[in-house]
Every structure is written in C-alpha cells, then in structure tokens.
Amino acid sequence: MSDNNPFYFRQLLSGVDFARYDSSARSMANFVYLLGDAQTRECVVVDPAWDIDTLLDIVAEDDMTLKGALITHYHPDHVGGHIFGMDILGLPELMERSPVPVYVNKHEADGVRQVTGISDSDMKKVDSEDTLKVGSIDISFLHTPGHTPGSQCFRVKDYLIAGDTLFLQGCGRVDLPGGDSEEMYRTLTQRLTKIQDEVVLYPGHNYGGKDNAPLGEVRETNTYLQIDSLEQWRMLMG
C-alpha cells in the first residue's frame, strides 16, 4: 500500500483463515472482509461471524483499530445466531469484546435484532447511496434486496463486496424467509447494471473456483446475469 493508495483490505475465509477447527465454518465457506485506511490504521469488518476472537486478533496483528461492523444481511452465518442446527458466534460476542457501531440497511434492522439480540442503539441504519468514511476511505452502501429485504453491497474504489446478493456463479437464494424472487431479478438486472465491468466482485461465500473476479467476467459467465425477461427468470428460479 502506497501513499497514493492507502486502502487496507483483507479477504478472510472461514475454516481456513479463522474458525480453523470448525468443520461447519469450513463447509459454509463464508468470507469476512476487513476494509480501512492503512495510514490512519482504522478499519471496519464486514459480516463478523464464527470466530470473533481470531478476527479481532487479525485486526490487532495488523495494527488496526476496529471502528465498525458492516452487515450485508441478517442470516446467522453472517451475523451470528442459530441456523441449520448450528449456534454461530457473531455480533453479540463482537459487542462484548469490541463494541462498535453496526451498520445495517434500514430494511434489515428488525431482522438483525431478532437474529442476534443486539439493540437498536447498537445499530446505525443506512440507506442506498449513503457513505461511510473510514480514515480517508469512502465506503458506499448499495441496497440490493432479493436474498433478504435489506441485503446490501459495499463499494470501495473498484471493489464490490456483495454478500449473498451475487456470487461468481449464481446468486443468493430467494426461498428462505425474507427472500423475494422478483426483487432479486430487479437487483441483478437494474440495480447492479450501473456498476462498471472493471469493478471486482468479492462474494459472501467461496463456492468453488476463484474468490473474486471482475464484474465484466462475471457477466459473461454467470447464467443468472444473462436472463432476458422476468418470465425466463421465474422458470430458472422454479
């Protein structure tokens, strides 16, 4: 990182970079991200779950100070809670060890509170096109509903951290509580089309293959981005 590019970025894979001895974390293959300013030594964490102690240790080892948590959506594998018979550590444990503002889309706040038990006072409710400055780094919030009502992506320079909205192959499920197939169609065919091909997609899970790719490449290879009509979309999604 140079003086001209102070952006601090870490992509961390559950079961590999943290929660190393947790077979469930390895099978779920969640990505957690650290974003910040390498000069001011400030950062935020995206979707802290599974192993809060190790994530905070990584922040400390990098000589960074945690200033917030950014949440893509309220599912427990991204924020902590109970899912598929698993009890997953997440925001409650983070708030015990390092209480910081939790940035959630305004449509997602109720879900985050119900799943994790954190309070309204812990959360900063944001809307699409809002921005957060971490040191000199601007992070833009993009509301991308479909997987959940308040799913959001984060844009930093030419990085797009997409959570479960969009993967390199496929997109987030719409058959879980809060999912909306037609909203997902609008997100993929309208809301994300404004983002340039050179922006690099960083997804919420490692579902095989590469862990990131330029959006131009994803648009050429991801079937879910090649649908011509809502009727085709409904057939694809069943």
Side-chain angles (χ1 to χ4, degrees):
M1 299 171 190
S2 66
D3 292 340
N4 295 326
N5 181 25
F7 182 39
Y8 164 81
F9 177 80
R10 295 286 302 269
Q11 182 186 45
L12 305 168
L13 179 60
S14 66
V16 176
D17 300 308
F18 63 100
R20 297 181 184 93
Y21 305 107
D22 187 331
S23 60
S24 296
R26 183 179 293 272
S27 65
M28 293 290 284
N30 285 77
F31 282 122
V32 170
Y33 295 91
L34 299 175
L35 320 172
D37 186 324
Q39 294 179 336
T40 65
R41 316 309 299 175
E42 298 169 303
C43 73
V44 293
V45 58
V46 177
D47 288 355
W50 297 100
D51 181 0
I52 300 304
D53 286 347
T54 300
L55 292 172
L56 290 176
D57 287 346
I58 292 171
V59 171
E61 289 165 4
D62 285 353
D63 192 27
M64 302 294 287
T65 299
L66 190 67
K67 292 295 185 178
L70 277 55
I71 303 305
T72 62
H73 65 291
Y74 65 73
H75 288 159
D77 56 317
H78 294 261
V79 297
H82 185 81
I83 189 174
F84 303 143
M86 298 178 289
D87 289 311
I88 301 170
L89 302 180
L91 288 176
E93 291 73 25
L94 177 68
M95 301 307 288
E96 286 181 8
R97 280 206 53 191
S98 181
V100 292
V102 179
Y103 295 85
V104 302
N105 183 272
K106 64 182 183 180
H107 301 287
E108 202 79 350
D110 286 344
V112 170
R113 184 176 58 252
Q114 291 174 21
V115 168
T116 67
I118 68 171
S119 67
D120 278 334
S121 62
D122 294 325
M123 292 185 279
K124 300 287 186 181
K125 299 174 186 178
V126 299
D127 203 353
S128 200
E129 309 303 331
D130 285 352
T131 60
L132 172 67
K133 185 175 285 291
V134 181
S136 64
I137 303 300
D138 290 320
I139 302 174
S140 298
F141 299 92
L142 177 61
H143 183 207
T144 54
H147 187 56
T148 64
S151 285
Q152 61 180 347
C153 301
F154 310 114
R155 171 81 183 269
V156 188
K157 300 180 180 293
D158 286 337
Y159 296 65
L160 181 71
I161 293 89
D164 285 6
T165 293
L166 180 63
F167 306 121
L168 273 64
Q169 297 293 336
C171 66
R173 293 173 58 175
V174 295
D175 60 339
L176 297 172
D180 187 317
S181 179
E182 293 193 13
E183 280 292 356
M184 179 64 85
Y185 176 76
R186 284 187 282 272
T187 284
L188 299 183
T189 60
Q190 298 175 30
R191 299 179 178 102
L192 293 182
T193 56
K194 304 173 185 177
I195 301 177
Q196 304 92 331
D197 284 348
E198 61 268 22
V199 172
V200 178
L201 172 67
Y202 289 88
H205 292 267
N206 182 14
Y207 286 152
K210 298 187 294 185
D211 53 20
N212 69 82
L215 268 173
E217 177 182 321
V218 177
R219 287 174 173 134
E220 291 178 355
T221 58
N222 190 332
T223 303
Y224 290 75
L225 296 180
Q226 299 168 4
I227 304 302
D228 295 327
S229 68
L230 183 55
E231 288 70 28
Q232 282 188 340
W233 175 259
R234 287 169 175 158
M235 291 178 63
L236 177 66
M237 300 302 284

